[in-house]
Amino acid sequence: IHQYKNRVLFLTTLKCFGYCRYCFRKNLTFETSGASKYASKDLPLQNAASQDASSKGANNDELEKIYQYLSQHDEIQEILFSGGDPLMLPNAALFDLIARIRQSRPKILIRICTRSLFFAPERFTDETIELLRSAKPLWIIPHINHPYEIDEKFAPNSVKAIEKILDAGISMQSQTVLLRGVNDNVETLSCLFENLTKLGIKPGYLFQLDLAKGISHFRVPIDEAVQLYEKLRSELSGLSLPTFAVDLPSGGGKFNLLQLESGNATTKVIKHDDKYEFVRGGKSYFYPRT
C-alpha cells in the first residue's frame, strides 16, 4: 500500500497472536466465510517449509512485483511490515522477506509493527533478536495501550523481551489507541508514556480509534479526546509525548489533531453538528463527533 510518498505498507500476513476487539482490520480476518476467503491475500513465502498452509499468501511472482516496485521507486525510504502480525511468520519466512527487500533496496528502513511483545514475548528468542539486529536499519513498532503491559509485576516476560531488544541496539517507537474504559484518562496515559520512555521506547503515536463495524463503544468522542490530550500535554515532556492523530476514513491518511480547529495549508476542517469534515486534495473525509 503506497499511501505516503516516502513509505509503503506491506501486509505480510492476516494472522495475529490475538484478535483485538477494537481492531479495524477484523473485517478482513473475521469475515463470516472465514479467513480462508483471504488466503491469497496473506503474504508469507511459499518456500518456507515450516509455514502452515493456512498462513500462506502471495506467491513468488507477486512478491517479485513488490521487489521490482521498490527498486523502481527511489522516493520510498521506509517499508512497514504489518498485517496481521509479521512475527506470526517463522524466522525462515520473515528474514527471507527482509533479505529479498534488502537486495532491492539495501538501505531502506524497515519498520516491524507488532503486538507480539505482549501476546507472545517468547517469540523474541536470542536467535530472532540477533537476526533483527543484523537487519538494520530496522525499528520495532510495538502496539501498546496500557501501562500494565510493561509492568514487571504483570508482564515480566514482556519487559525482559523489551530490554533484550534494546540491549541489542534495535530502536523502538510505540503506537497506542485511545480506548474508552481502558486508557481514556490522563493518569493512565501519563503512566504509560513516561514508563515507555524510561524503558527506552519513544512514544510515537496516540491514535483516535479507527472506524470499524462493532467497535463504537470503544470510541472516545473526538472533542473529548482532544481535551484529554491537551491535559496530557501539560503533564508530559516533549520526549514522552506522542503525536495525537486520526487516520482518516476511506484512505484520507493521518491527520494531526492539534490542527483540528484551523487545519493547515493542505487540509481544511469543517465542524458540523454531528461530525467533522476533513477536506484534503479536494476530497472530503468524515469522522463522527460522538
Side-chain angles (χ1 to χ4, degrees):
I1 300 172
H2 193 177
Q3 187 175 14
Y4 304 98
K5 178 181 177 180
N6 75 332
R7 56 199 183 276
V8 292
L9 179 70
F10 182 18
L11 297 177
T12 57
T13 178
L14 291 181
K15 304 297 180 181
C16 282
F17 290 94
Y19 288 92
C20 298
R21 180 67 181 82
Y22 54 86
C23 180
F24 70 99
R25 287 200 179 121
K26 70 192 183 75
N27 293 336
L28 286 179
T29 57
F30 274 174
E31 287 287 334
T32 55
S33 58
S36 60
K37 175 180 177 181
Y38 297 100
S40 64
K41 295 182 181 180
D42 273 349
L43 295 176
L45 290 177
Q46 291 187 342
N47 62 2
S50 59
Q51 238 178 315
D52 183 277
S54 65
S55 64
K56 286 184 177 179
N59 59 41
N60 284 335
D61 288 341
E62 291 168 325
L63 288 169
E64 286 300 331
K65 292 179 181 178
I66 294 174
Y67 306 138
Q68 185 177 15
Y69 187 86
L70 290 173
S71 65
Q72 293 173 346
H73 289 265
D74 292 339
E75 76 276 15
I76 298 173
Q77 298 300 314
E78 301 180 22
I79 182 168
L80 286 68
F81 280 27
S82 186
D85 196 310
L87 285 161
M88 281 295 293
L89 303 180
N91 283 352
L94 177 61
F95 291 100
D96 193 4
L97 281 176
I98 291 175
R100 298 284 295 278
I101 284 170
R102 284 276 180 254
Q103 290 176 10
S104 302
R105 295 290 302 282
K107 297 298 182 181
I108 196 169
L109 174 63
I110 295 172
R111 289 198 248 169
I112 297 184
C113 306
T114 185
R115 196 88 168 89
S116 59
L117 277 165
F118 317 109
F119 279 109
E122 66 274 11
R123 177 66 180 86
F124 291 90
T125 62
D126 290 344
E127 176 195 34
T128 299
I129 291 174
E130 177 55 28
L131 288 168
L132 290 168
R133 188 197 63 78
S134 66
K136 294 194 296 186
L138 178 146
W139 283 58
I140 300 292
I141 312 295
H143 176 159
I144 173 171
N145 296 323
H146 197 278
Y148 283 1
E149 293 181 295
I150 51 170
D151 189 299
E152 288 187 346
K153 177 180 177 181
F154 299 106
N157 291 334
S158 295
V159 174
K160 289 177 182 177
I162 289 168
E163 291 174 343
K164 286 169 61 178
I165 292 167
L166 292 170
D167 286 346
I170 300 167
S171 300
M172 301 178 74
Q173 177 177 286
S174 69
Q175 57 182 12
T176 297
V177 178
L178 182 62
L179 297 167
R180 176 176 288 283
V182 177
N183 60 13
D184 58 331
N185 61 81
V186 172
E187 293 76 17
T188 300
L189 291 176
S190 294
C191 181
L192 171 61
F193 298 136
E194 285 174 343
N195 288 344
L196 282 169
T197 306
K198 290 174 183 177
L199 276 174
I201 301 174
K202 175 69 178 77
Y205 277 104
L206 173 63
F207 281 114
Q208 178 71 3
L209 186 70
D210 281 326
L211 301 180
K213 190 182 298 183
I215 65 172
S216 61
H217 56 292
F218 283 116
R219 187 169 68 237
V220 179
I222 197 165
D223 297 307
E224 182 183 328
V226 171
Q227 293 175 10
L228 172 61
Y229 185 72
E230 288 292 350
K231 294 177 183 177
L232 193 64
R233 291 177 69 194
S234 67
E235 296 288 328
L236 298 173
S237 70
L239 187 62
S240 299
L241 185 70
T243 298
F244 186 33
V246 61
D247 203 352
L248 297 177
S250 304
K254 293 185 182 67
F255 180 86
N256 188 328
L257 284 169
L258 285 185
Q259 301 169 339
L260 192 61
E261 293 302 321
S262 59
N264 58 30
T266 59
T267 304
K268 179 181 179 182
V269 183
I270 303 169
K271 185 187 293 186
H272 301 282
D273 290 341
D274 60 340
K275 59 183 173 289
Y276 279 99
E277 179 180 359
F278 301 84
V279 183
R280 174 177 283 171
K283 186 175 179 181
S284 291
Y285 306 90
F286 298 95
Y287 194 97
R289 291 185 65 183
T290 59

